[in-house]
Amino acid sequence: MKAAVFKGVKSMACEERPKPVITQPSDAIIRVVRACVCGSDLWFYRDGGRPVNTQTGHEAIGVVESIGDDVTVAKPGDFVIVPFPFSCGTCPVCKAGFESCCPHGGYFGSDDGMGCQAEYLRVPEANGTLVTVPGDASTFDDAMLASLLTLSDVMSTGYHAAASAEVKPGDTAVVFGDGAVGLCGVLSAKLCGAERIIAMSRHADRQAIAREFGATDIVEERGDDAVARVLDMTDGYGADAVLECVGSAQSNDTAMKVARAGAIVGRVGLPHGVEVDVPGLFYRNVGLRGGPAPVRTYDLQGLLGKVLDGDIHPGRVFTAEFTLDDIQAAYEAMDERRTVKSLLRVSEV
Amino acid sequence: MKAAVFKGVKSMACEERPKPVITQPSDAIIRVVRACVCGSDLWFYRDGGRPVNTQTGHEAIGVVESIGDDVTVAKPGDFVIVPFPFSCGTCPVCKAGFESCCPHGGYFGSDDGMGCQAEYLRVPEANGTLVTVPGDASTFDDAMLASLLTLSDVMSTGYHAAASAEVKPGDTAVVFGDGAVGLCGVLSAKLCGAERIIAMSRHADRQAIAREFGATDIVEERGDDAVARVLDMTDGYGADAVLECVGSAQSNDTAMKVARAGAIVGRVGLPHGVEVDVPGLFYRNVGLRGGPAPVRTYDLQGLLGKVLDGDIHPGRVFTAEFTLDDIQAAYEAMDERRTVKSLLRVSEV
């Protein structure tokens, strides 16, 4: 089968790899219909830090090809979302709704048929991992497939930022990050009832999607200037909820400073060099929550229904489309910010 | 009037100070009935760090003596709880229920008649600060007065740890700290429905109160040994909710390590030298919340009713009683751990 492979810094290739097979009774094999490139893939694309010649990608939707003897969540032919984490589904961590931290699970994006940027995919712990999509998948148009694909990571991750920040009806929310996750954070803050949504963005194309998703204000400043702007916009008190969807030291620092006393910073950006002012947060009762998103929990709790019902269209974050053969171009377009997010058209339903 | 005054490290005195008077239309003057010494008072008692000859104490209950023209929350003769923070009650921070961080407020325990360890007390921003106690105060016995007094700080602070940690029915909760706040944290975890409550304590007298308040297990270990014990007690997954009521670096570190993935550490111990493993918390989705407790919010939301109804008896944390004249002995008894908390009998209802 065709699979995307990391060849070194700024170098991806589409290569032939063995089609994955069932190795455990809990496995399922998925024929990938759509996959995509994640902002977090750019970390290794730009800086390395992972072995060369390994398979990549952790977001996919597709059709179940075959299942192990223990798999009951789906049968061959079913259309499924593959969340970026795999998880047992039965331990206390999974039962608490944090399956993205299941100690018996892990993440996609590796060898042994577990890269999602490929024609086929092996899903371990399928019962605790897969999200089965009801309905006749042959009727899903490209826009619906794109929105379903975001439920494997970015929409659910943006929602985790909003849920962690406990966005409530009437709130003023600030969203850091105008990548796909940040934009989905804006959409999620809107879903949670935020009345005012301040999107931190410097790019006109992303600002436009942010507004479409519910942003009421755009702030282009960063650092201390951004703090001053947001405090000015909130009568000096700060925002009721803060969504941190970048992960950089500056973004986290600014996020904590614009939080109203008692607010929570919901963070989903992978932290790089972040430092926390422990007493500063304490004396202002500012909370810090978040991490890898429990995608499956949120999808099943309501996001999947909202996509299928046409209430939300998170697939709008895909602004360019590629094939597996063009994997280098798909990464380059994101790296150079020519697209918000690159979709990979792998096969048809 | 008599007032407790800080004279230097390990030295307190009862001195004559001017009886406070109304200085603003929003002020109220309270005749103090009961006050007490707080664990946090021991920080300056042991290490200094505050000006000598200043008035002390931030916990009191008493009778309203006089009010400024704008005060409507209580009238002379009313029995009131004085929360350790004072707050405007009308700004977005107060309205969000975090009046302990009101930018227009502050804390008791200073000059200008604002030390609670005194015969009289000036309460600024009375409308946003005082908690009026319904009923005939002349019928309150000593035990009821002691429990009402905990609603000025320690019970409400212990509750803030539980609320910040989002203790839910059926949870396993771990409580760090066996001082008055930690013990009230145990009681609060029980109120929130925790099924198993692990109290970290090395002192038999405190362990006994912890069990009376609902602790099901006692762990005497600290540091890595404590982590191993709690993980062993939770099948390796960690606790569903963690209450940090100490504030030391070790206690916070241990608290974060015993949290189940997805759990929240609710912290109310004033942080001293605490460091946070930012990526470690992130990848385990462990949250960090808490700070100075919004006492008034919790009292009015239900704690006051539970005390008046006799559902809870947090006053049990007072294991020794003194007068203002004995203020040095009151501090010494707590410093030397001969009492959990020192009550000050100042006047009668």
Side-chain angles (χ1 to χ4, degrees):
Chain A
M1 69 166 183
K2 289 180 180 178
V5 172
F6 175 66
K7 303 301 288 182
V9 170
K10 300 245 173 175
S11 177
M12 297 293 301
C14 178
E15 297 186 347
E16 272 299 316
R17 288 288 169 117
K19 181 177 168 183
V21 295
I22 301 284
T23 60
Q24 302 287 332
S26 54
D27 283 352
I29 304 297
I30 310 298
R31 173 171 61 79
V32 176
V33 170
R34 298 285 187 280
C36 50
V37 182
C38 184
S40 65
D41 290 331
L42 296 180
W43 290 104
F44 69 75
Y45 178 76
R46 289 170 176 167
D47 301 323
R50 67 175 286 159
V52 295
N53 293 318
T54 45
Q55 271 188 252
T56 55
H58 53 260
E59 301 156 285
I61 54 175
V63 177
V64 177
E65 174 96 351
S66 59
I67 56 174
D69 289 345
D70 292 348
V71 175
T72 55
V73 70
K75 59 185 188 307
D78 283 353
F79 195 77
V80 293
I81 297 163
V82 183
F84 74 88
F86 60 93
S87 47
C88 77
T90 59
C91 76
V93 173
C94 287
K95 283 183 176 165
F98 288 91
E99 74 278 358
S100 46
C101 300
C102 171
H104 316 290
Y107 303 124
F108 289 100
S110 59
D111 279 345
D112 299 319
M114 288 176 58
C116 292
Q117 294 161 353
E119 288 184 303
Y120 292 91
L121 175 68
R122 182 172 70 84
V123 175
E125 302 288 357
N127 285 339
T129 303
L130 290 175
V131 176
T132 307
V133 181
D136 180 2
S138 69
T139 66
F140 297 157
D141 61 12
D142 280 351
M144 177 59 77
L145 290 174
S147 285
L148 290 171
L149 178 58
T150 67
L151 298 183
S152 71
D153 185 345
V154 289
M155 179 60 204
S156 319
T157 295
Y159 192 82
H160 189 43
S164 298
E166 297 185 5
V167 178
K168 289 180 289 295
D171 273 359
T172 292
V174 179
V175 182
F176 287 83
D178 60 3
V181 171
L183 294 170
C184 289
V186 169
L187 185 54
S188 299
K190 180 78 178 174
L191 272 181
C192 294
E195 196 171 289
R196 189 177 193 186
I197 302 174
I198 303 170
M200 313 298 281
S201 173
R202 293 184 163 184
H203 304 89
D205 55 336
R206 292 152 191 250
Q207 292 173 358
I209 301 176
R211 290 213 182 261
E212 182 186 325
F213 280 1
T216 53
D217 300 83
I218 304 284
V219 167
E220 298 202 347
E221 287 85 345
R222 291 188 185 171
D224 289 346
D225 292 340
V227 174
R229 266 301 298 281
V230 174
L231 289 182
D232 187 55
M233 295 167 83
T234 55
D235 296 327
Y237 292 102
D240 303 310
V242 182
L243 288 67
E244 201 296 308
C245 309
V246 179
S248 71
Q250 183 187 56
S251 173
N252 273 274
D253 181 64
T254 310
M256 292 184 257
K257 287 177 176 166
V258 301
R260 194 243 303 128
I264 302 174
V265 176
R267 56 181 188 141
V268 296
L270 307 186
H272 285 78
V274 174
E275 291 187 6
V276 172
D277 172 11
V278 176
L281 290 186
F282 181 89
Y283 286 103
R284 298 179 58 241
N285 258 299
V286 170
L288 192 63
R289 293 185 67 182
V295 170
R296 188 173 195 249
T297 292
Y298 293 133
D299 288 356
L300 295 176
Q301 276 179 355
L303 291 183
L304 174 57
K306 288 191 187 298
V307 165
L308 290 174
D309 291 347
D311 293 340
I312 55 174
H313 302 89
R316 288 279 293 108
V317 297
F318 294 108
T319 55
E321 183 184 307
F322 303 85
T323 66
L324 280 176
D325 292 316
D326 302 321
I327 191 68
Q328 174 70 18
Y331 274 71
E332 276 177 3
M334 280 184 68
D335 180 40
E336 295 164 10
R337 288 187 175 272
R338 282 183 280 109
T339 178
V340 178
K341 191 169 175 71
S342 295
L343 182 133
L344 297 170
R345 179 184 289 264
V346 181
S347 70
E348 298 312 313
V349 177
Chain B
M1 67 165 184
K2 290 181 180 178
V5 172
F6 175 67
K7 303 300 288 182
V9 171
K10 301 244 174 176
S11 178
M12 297 293 301
C14 178
E15 298 186 347
E16 273 298 316
R17 290 290 170 116
K19 181 178 168 183
V21 295
I22 301 284
T23 60
Q24 301 286 333
S26 54
D27 284 352
I29 304 297
I30 310 298
R31 173 172 62 80
V32 176
V33 170
R34 297 287 187 277
C36 50
V37 182
C38 185
S40 66
D41 289 332
L42 295 179
W43 289 104
F44 68 76
Y45 178 76
R46 288 169 177 167
D47 301 321
R50 68 174 287 159
V52 295
N53 293 319
T54 46
Q55 270 189 253
T56 56
H58 53 261
E59 301 156 284
I61 54 175
V63 177
V64 176
E65 175 96 350
S66 58
I67 55 174
D69 289 344
D70 292 348
V71 176
T72 55
V73 71
K75 59 186 186 308
D78 282 353
F79 195 75
V80 293
I81 297 163
V82 182
F84 74 88
F86 60 92
S87 47
C88 77
T90 59
C91 76
V93 173
C94 288
K95 283 185 176 164
F98 288 91
E99 73 279 359
S100 46
C101 300
C102 170
H104 316 290
Y107 303 124
F108 289 100
S110 60
D111 278 344
D112 298 319
M114 288 177 57
C116 291
Q117 295 162 351
E119 288 184 304
Y120 293 90
L121 174 68
R122 183 173 68 87
V123 175
E125 302 288 355
N127 284 339
T129 303
L130 291 174
V131 175
T132 307
V133 181
D136 179 2
S138 70
T139 66
F140 298 157
D141 62 13
D142 280 352
M144 177 58 77
L145 291 175
S147 285
L148 290 171
L149 179 57
T150 68
L151 297 183
S152 72
D153 185 345
V154 289
M155 179 61 204
S156 318
T157 295
Y159 193 83
H160 189 43
S164 298
E166 296 185 5
V167 178
K168 290 179 289 294
D171 273 0
T172 292
V174 180
V175 182
F176 287 82
D178 62 2
V181 171
L183 294 170
C184 289
V186 169
L187 185 54
S188 299
K190 180 79 177 174
L191 271 181
C192 293
E195 194 169 291
R196 191 176 192 186
I197 302 174
I198 304 170
M200 314 299 280
S201 173
R202 295 183 160 183
H203 304 89
D205 56 334
R206 292 153 191 251
Q207 291 173 359
I209 301 176
R211 289 213 182 262
E212 182 187 325
F213 279 1
T216 54
D217 301 83
I218 304 283
V219 167
E220 298 202 347
E221 287 86 344
R222 291 188 184 171
D224 289 346
D225 292 340
V227 174
R229 268 300 300 282
V230 175
L231 289 182
D232 186 55
M233 296 167 83
T234 53
D235 297 328
Y237 292 102
D240 303 311
V242 182
L243 288 67
E244 202 296 311
C245 309
V246 179
S248 72
Q250 184 187 56
S251 174
N252 272 273
D253 181 65
T254 310
M256 291 185 257
K257 286 177 177 165
V258 302
R260 194 242 304 127
I264 302 174
V265 176
R267 57 181 185 138
V268 296
L270 306 188
H272 286 77
V274 175
E275 290 187 7
V276 172
D277 172 11
V278 176
L281 291 186
F282 182 89
Y283 286 104
R284 299 179 58 243
N285 259 298
V286 170
L288 191 64
R289 292 184 67 181
V295 171
R296 187 172 196 250
T297 291
Y298 293 133
D299 289 357
L300 295 176
Q301 277 179 353
L303 292 182
L304 175 57
K306 288 189 187 300
V307 165
L308 289 174
D309 291 348
D311 294 340
I312 55 174
H313 303 90
R316 289 277 294 107
V317 298
F318 294 107
T319 55
E321 182 183 309
F322 303 85
T323 65
L324 278 177
D325 292 316
D326 302 321
I327 191 68
Q328 174 70 16
Y331 273 70
E332 277 177 3
M334 280 185 67
D335 181 40
E336 295 163 9
R337 288 186 173 274
R338 284 182 280 109
T339 179
V340 177
K341 191 169 176 72
S342 296
L343 183 133
L344 297 170
R345 181 181 288 264
V346 181
S347 71
E348 298 312 312
V349 176

